Amino acid sequence: MAVLAENHYGKSRVRLVKVVRTPDHHDVYEWTVGLYLTGDFDACYLAGDNTGVMATDTMKNTVYAVARTSTATTPEDFAVELARNIAARKPTLTQVRITVEEKMWQRLKVEGGKHPSAFLQRGPDVITAAAVLTPGAQPVMTSGIKGLVILKTADSGFLGFERDALTTLPETEDRLLGTEATIDWLYTALPADPAAVREAVMQTLLGTFAAHHSLSVQHTLYAMAEAALAAHPELVELNLTMPNRHNIPADLARLGLDNPNTIFIPTDEPHGHIHARVTR
């Protein structure tokens, strides 16, 4: 006998660009939003009864309607505002989860300062945020970054690992360490200024990455999380995924040339997958 053990549904990848126009300049926000609802929807699955089911088309339109009047300038604040809007309209829900990814637009630098209405998109990294709202509780908020490409060309090695008949990787005390990191962190409470906290956390993470004498990607990953928890008491935990994007020294000997660790072949497939959740 089949049993419906768990379910949720929603709308994914609702894309939105919002222009905020002030007398002296414009700001651009580009968000990709996901809305996911949990509640008593068993009848929809078991009997095809759609009573009480909010159409995902309605969810999509809710994103645009809330954005029209919202004053939120961070994905965190918009996620909470949207979650509260949905929860107020459907009090029978047991959980509303909102995710927001932000592509970052910056005003172009021109002679005399920043152009008021011309923009450059930063990337490939995007800001991430998620708000989970349950009845009678404050929102649970996470923030983070996805697609963060970082590289260090010194203070990185990989020695002493297990070897067997199938191991061909040489040990090294001097390698390039590159990754395309996905990092998020859980707050003790919704921060008053998510953008300021995010900037401070990122400075800690990147500063640690740069300064750490790495004996492995795992070693540096943990050092970054440890430093962030020590410096930012408002954080409960961090999730870090840091694939090892290899840069393989090119064999120039067959060309009659040496390679004093200067010429590399970048590869991103296959790559090492390194992940950890670090808590207090």
Side-chain angles (χ1 to χ4, degrees):
M1 178 178 177
V3 176
L4 182 63
E6 182 275 335
N7 68 84
H8 69 268
Y9 81 104
K11 196 75 163 181
S12 295
R13 298 195 61 78
V14 181
R15 298 189 60 188
L16 161 71
V17 170
K18 181 173 181 177
V19 179
V20 177
R21 305 174 191 273
T22 65
D24 61 345
H25 73 276
H26 298 166
D27 291 308
V28 170
Y29 302 96
E30 182 173 349
W31 293 330
T32 300
V33 182
L35 305 84
Y36 308 100
L37 309 185
T38 304
D40 184 7
F41 300 116
D42 288 12
C44 178
Y45 289 86
L46 301 179
D49 182 355
N50 296 324
T51 304
V53 173
M54 178 184 285
T56 63
D57 181 70
T58 305
M59 297 183 197
K60 176 198 67 177
N61 293 335
T62 299
V63 173
Y64 299 131
V66 172
R68 173 62 184 87
T69 58
S70 176
T71 59
T73 59
T74 68
E76 290 88 351
D77 288 336
F78 185 70
V80 170
E81 183 177 1
L82 186 58
R84 286 175 170 157
N85 179 284
I86 295 286
R89 291 160 58 199
K90 285 193 64 64
T92 58
L93 294 172
T94 57
Q95 186 183 92
V96 180
R97 180 172 181 263
I98 305 295
T99 64
V100 184
E101 294 184 0
E102 179 179 1
K103 291 184 177 181
M104 292 165 278
W105 288 97
Q106 299 172 335
R107 298 208 311 277
L108 287 177
K109 293 182 179 179
V110 295
E111 186 176 352
K114 294 182 179 179
H115 194 280
S117 58
F119 297 84
L120 171 71
Q121 187 178 92
R122 221 193 79 180
D125 52 316
V126 296
I127 292 170
T128 63
V132 176
L133 184 62
T134 55
Q138 291 297 312
V140 175
M141 173 59 64
T142 58
S143 297
I145 196 87
K146 184 173 77 172
L148 179 68
V149 180
I150 47 180
L151 175 75
K152 59 189 300 176
T153 58
D155 295 324
S156 174
F158 191 47
L159 301 166
F161 51 88
E162 182 178 300
R163 306 191 71 88
D164 63 21
L166 300 180
T167 304
T168 59
L169 182 70
E171 295 190 348
T172 178
E173 295 181 338
D174 186 14
R175 67 171 182 172
L176 272 59
L177 172 55
T179 186
E180 183 174 334
T182 298
I183 305 172
D184 62 60
W185 49 88
L186 175 65
Y187 295 105
T188 56
L190 185 66
D193 188 346
V197 176
R198 187 190 317 113
E199 179 66 23
V201 172
M202 289 304 301
Q203 287 183 359
T204 301
L205 291 169
L206 294 176
T208 304
F209 175 84
H212 187 243
H213 183 77
S214 178
L215 301 181
S216 65
V217 179
Q218 292 91 327
H219 187 216
T220 297
L221 179 154
Y222 182 79
M224 293 166 65
E226 183 180 38
L229 289 174
H232 306 285
E234 63 269 49
L235 305 188
V236 176
E237 68 178 39
L238 290 95
N239 280 279
L240 304 93
T241 301
M242 294 174 54
N244 190 357
R245 291 179 36 154
H246 304 289
N247 290 274
I248 302 171
D251 181 9
L252 302 183
R254 57 184 178 174
L255 306 179
L257 300 171
D258 66 349
N259 186 4
N261 213 29
T262 58
I263 305 300
F264 301 86
I265 302 171
T267 64
D268 54 12
E269 293 180 354
H271 59 248
H273 178 85
I274 315 299
H275 170 80
R277 181 171 66 94
V278 183
T279 67
R280 294 192 180 279

